[in-house]
């Protein structure tokens, strides 16, 4: 019973920051590549960032230099620190865990607006 629960979304002004959290349970956390994806109505879900159990990260070009993914293995939690937020970052952000199967959280809304 793998479960991923996102939190930390909300409304922020352009240029502001938010930190998302994803709490995982029911898995051997370190075996999973964790990631953040986002989706807006009418658009394909897109990769934002991933991080391996060993801490190797990868980012979409649109967020490089602004976002940082990290994980706390003692807490079975992955984070996404989002800085210098732009209106185009507005989306539902989803947490994903990948091993042999993929598991998804239910998402958290991030809205960037003045």
């Amino acid at each position: 019973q793998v479960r991923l629960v996102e939190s930390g979304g909300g409304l922020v002004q352009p240029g502001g920051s938010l930190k998302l959290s994803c709490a995982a349970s029911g898995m051997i956390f370190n075996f999973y590549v964790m990631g953040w994806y986002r989706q807006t109505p009418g658009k394909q879900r897109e990769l934002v960032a991933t991080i391996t159990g060993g801490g190797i990260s990868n980012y979409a070009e649109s967020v490089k230099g602004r976002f940082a993914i990290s994980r706390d293995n003692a807490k079975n939690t992955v984070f996404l620190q989002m800085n210098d937020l732009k209106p185009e970052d507005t989306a539902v952000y989803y947490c994903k865990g990948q091993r042999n199967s993929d598991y998804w959280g239910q998402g958290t809304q991030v809205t960037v607006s003045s």
Side-chain angles (χ1 to χ4, degrees), residues 15-86:
S17 298
L18 281 174
K19 188 175 184 178
L20 307 183
S21 298
C22 172
S25 61
M27 63 165 65
I28 303 175
F29 186 68
N30 291 356
F31 286 179
Y32 283 74
V33 176
M34 303 299 298
W36 289 96
Y37 295 71
R38 65 189 182 188
Q39 188 169 24
T40 57
K43 292 182 62 180
Q44 185 75 265
R45 188 172 298 184
E46 65 177 355
L47 182 148
V48 176
T50 61
I51 185 167
T52 69
I56 299 172
S57 59
N58 182 55
Y59 297 91
E61 288 294 325
S62 59
V63 307
K64 281 184 178 178
R66 299 189 297 120
F67 291 11
I69 189 170
S70 61
R71 62 196 292 163
D72 184 340
N73 290 331
K75 298 178 68 174
N76 282 12
T77 304
V78 62
F79 304 95
L80 184 69
Q81 177 66 53
M82 304 184 293
N83 300 318
D84 192 24
L85 283 160
K86 305 178 184 299

